[in-house]
Amino acid sequence: MCYNNRTMNMSIAFLASEVAPFAKTGGLADVAGALPVALAGAGASVRVLMPFYREVKKKKPPVRKLWEDRIVDGLGRSLPYTVHELKEAGIATLFIEHDPYYDRDFLYGTAAGDYPDNGERFSFFARAALETLKKTGQAADIIHAHDWQSAPALAYLRFLHSGDPFFKRIRTVFTIHNLAYQGQFEKDILGRIGLPESLFNLNDLEFYGKVNFLKAGILYADAVTTVSPRYSREIQTPEFGCGLDGLLRQRSRVLHGILNGVDYASWDPARDVLIPARYGPADLAGKSVCKEELIRMFGLPASAAERPVVGVVSRLAGQKGFDLVADAVDEIFKRDLTLIVLGTGEEKIQETLKAAQKAHPDRFGLKIAFDEKVARTIYAGSDFFLIPSRYEPCGLTQMYSLKYGTIPVVRATGGLDDTIREFDPVSRSGNGFKFDDFTEAALLACLDRALAQWRNKAVWADLVRNAMAEDFSWARSAQAYLDLYREILS
Ligand code: ADP
Ligand code: GLC
């Protein structure tokens, strides 16, 4: 009876290290920004907790200061923090301010590497988030933590708060957005962040001589999810398991793959105010305007508008497979196309792309930056969108491209494989093009299949229509999360 009441007006607390529109480096922010809205739309009450970074402060959100408090860390230092609240669209966002940890140029580190105190920074966030929930006096039914940065919350719940009546009935969900990022630190981190040193054993947080924060999420949450069905199977294999596949197989009974969605209130070319012209499936004139503007934006000759534009918006990390593009670049430019890339990330990939751009200045537009307006102009102004990922837990950019009538060319892995169906020019079914092998030959063959359809205008129009008709709205996935919350509450 009492569980029924709890599921009817379910109260959910999200813990995430980035949340759009406040702070973003990748897809986690989009998910942590949009899923709460969809859950609230389905009747749940949602609070979102995140650090109060410099990036957030610069945007000056109209927050209300709630209170100041202190946490004594494992070294006995009493560290102050301030909690600010912003209520918008039915969601309360609670910001944890502690300037020595979060008032920095970047969220996680520089191009040269991670901040060395990330273990302390994010365990502090997780701990302060739990204290904040308790201090509000409003119980939560579900704590839903995301990625390694929030995972310490699951360890604190189990080992610090196990006797606390406020937390006793709370059930927990942990979502893995990317298994490759695990938050690994030296053994002594446990003592410093106020967790028992006895957790340094293989059945708890030890991992090849280090402490692994992600393990806390996988081990101690009531349910574990990842962001696409295929990725949830892949991570249980040695190839994709990043050393944790054994543990994930052990936890397979509580492991679920729930596909991410798209917030179409934000990602829709008919409403997007950041793109040069608006358009929809019935009238694509605005898309041509966007293409011309995109070409200008990247300083390419106007004649590029006559060729297909292959766009890329990506973190430049090994995961995303741009070394394959760099290797194949001379072959790629034997095709009649223009390549446009927006990305930031690892120094080495940036340098390789810069060198390739120098070699093909009229055909290759490159910006090393994180820029929302440029990104959206690429989704709108390109003909194709290339995602050659080695692995991809879900991937949002292929879903955004579809909505903007830009055809994805992707490697068939993780969520890319779950969302993209190869276009068949005979039956005219499908929404993109995909290749299996992570090889130059497979990439080029896929690109050739795609380019062949671009030249056939009648077929192309059907393909664009298919793409724009896809519906990956959050409502379905939010329902899947609510079902899961109900299951672990009952
Ligand atoms: P990941 O989270 O692995 O980076 P996703 O496809 O899930 O990949 O999400 C990437 C998100 O980050 C998208 O919203 C994309 O538009 C955005 N993004 C990535 N790189 C940039 C960039 N350089 N400038 C602006 N937005 C970017
Ligand atoms: C991660 C993954 C990406 C996914 C995103 C949001 O950053 O790399 O595939 O879409 O999280 O879940």
Side-chain angles (χ1 to χ4, degrees), residues 26-28 31 147 176-178 227 260 315 319-320 391-396:
L28 166 62
V31 173
D147 274 354
I176 303 167
H177 292 264
N178 194 329
V227 289
N260 285 333
R315 284 187 297 115
Q319 168 193 353
K320 302 291 177 178
Y391 72 92
E392 194 61 68
C394 178
L396 298 167

Side-chain angles (χ1 to χ4, degrees), residues 154-172:
L154 284 314
Y156 288 127
L157 278 174
R158 180 163 297 206
F159 299 101
L160 211 66
H161 297 300
S162 58
D164 187 330
F166 179 82
F167 292 107
K168 204 172 160 51
R169 293 178 54 218
I170 292 179
R171 296 290 175 270
T172 54

Side-chain angles (χ1 to χ4, degrees), residues 18 24-31 177-178 181 227 260 267 312-316 319-320 341-345 367-376 379 385 387 389 391-400 416:
E18 54 182 271
K24 167 167 167 176
T25 70
L28 166 62
D30 290 0
V31 173
H177 292 264
N178 194 329
Y181 298 86
V227 289
N260 285 333
W267 297 94
V312 169
V313 178
S314 186
R315 284 187 297 115
L316 299 177
Q319 168 193 353
K320 302 291 177 178
V341 176
L342 170 70
T344 48
K367 279 193 202 292
I368 302 294
F370 195 94
D371 189 315
E372 189 72 26
K373 187 175 158 81
V374 178
R376 285 168 182 262
Y379 292 118
F385 196 88
I387 318 178
S389 302
Y391 72 92
E392 194 61 68
C394 178
L396 298 167
T397 61
Q398 79 279 16
M399 298 195 265
Y400 298 157
L416 296 172

